[in-house]
Amino acid sequence: MTTPTASSMSGGPYRRAHVDPLAGLRTPADPPWDVYLTGTVFLDIIFTGLDSAPVRGTESWARGMGSSPGGVANMATALSRLGLRTSLAAAFGDDHYGEYCWDALEHGEGIDLSPSRTVPGWHSPVTVSMAYEGERTMVSHGHEPPPEEPAPDCPPRARAAVASLVPGKRASWIAQAARKGARIFADVGWDDTGAWDLAGLADLEHCEAFLPNAAEAMRYTGAECPREAAHALTAHVPVAVVTLGAEGAYAVDGRTGETAVVPAIAVEALDPTGAGDVFVAGFVTGTLADWPLADRLAFAGLTAALSVQEFGGSLSAPGWSEIGAWWRKVQSLQAQDPEALRRYAFLADLVPDEEGRPWPLRRAVPTIGFRRSA
């Protein structure tokens, strides 16, 4: 018997279609990274195919299961698969889960982990996600890693950084990244304090774009509808993007007055885990590529819609070969809405040719590795 290596546990190397959405904008003076992120990496274990939510005192069987890196790994993987040079600072446990997540991100996805560290004796955080009826329920467990002084060059120079704002707390790295020239994109979680005070999101002053969902946007602004909330947010941040769930998304650029609304793409969702992260990654990609606001919004919605048709958060993110396959398919449909086709016409010059398509991207599988005979 042989013990599997980290590479065999993560599924081995995969080839992918190489599309660089920033190719026409790159110069020798550019920062080394397109996007910098920091946060917690979880091992996600996802159950799908449940007919309903688990009932207390009973046992439920899921028809599907997958495992993949989760947490901030969702965003990092989505960005990397869209062709952005991505750097991640995170703590990893020195257990098998941590080894698998590190290898899957560094070798499987090409993410720079030089700002990351392995913490001896610290076990990896774990999230169990159960998907049913288009929703999900999660149970997580983990401990804070021991504190460590950041490296002198952390955060590194990057075109952009993605942050998750925490009400009432500042993250010093956000201001540091902004001072180094990074464009900051931010989302926010539910405010458990119930204050819903924009003044409590102090780091919003460093942000170029803020991407809350409709409920969060209306609570923070006191607006009666998501569109009104988006416009109100532009008093605090240049670009506001409000996600509307099954209804799509609405965006406002307060600097130019430009607005955009894009309906959601109707798909049969297998697992919504990480869809919000993939949406943000798509919007960041379009922004750095200097696309019009409507194209950025449409692209973000498309990448999120493709992701919910696969297991897990990080490894459900689409790459350019999947985006290209979708574009070719919708063009072939005889009953296609011409307006919908025009909405995504910008993809024609981006997606790879059908000839020579790469092997499929790594996807979440029920277990992280098998022992194989020598």
Side-chain angles (χ1 to χ4, degrees), residues 136-226:
R136 60 174 179 161
T137 297
M138 298 185 294
V139 178
S140 298
H141 173 73
H143 303 280
E144 288 290 327
E148 180 181 83
E149 290 296 321
D153 60 347
C154 191
R157 287 180 59 239
R159 294 174 186 264
V162 182
S164 185
L165 304 184
V166 179
K169 295 183 180 179
R170 279 189 180 270
S172 61
W173 73 266
I174 296 176
Q176 294 169 20
R179 284 195 295 269
K180 292 182 178 182
R183 302 162 72 177
I184 311 298
F185 298 77
D187 60 12
V188 68
W190 193 258
D191 187 353
D192 292 328
T193 69
W196 297 102
D197 182 7
L198 279 170
L201 301 180
D203 285 322
L204 198 61
E205 66 180 342
H206 304 296
C207 297
E208 173 171 330
F210 184 42
L211 299 94
N213 63 35
E216 294 159 350
M218 289 189 292
R219 284 178 178 267
Y220 272 116
T221 61
E224 296 183 355
C225 74

Side-chain angles (χ1 to χ4, degrees), residues 334-352:
Q334 295 182 352
Q336 187 57 264
D337 178 7
E339 182 179 349
L341 281 178
R342 285 193 296 271
R343 183 179 300 122
Y344 296 93
F346 66 93
L347 293 173
D349 295 329
L350 289 167
V351 297

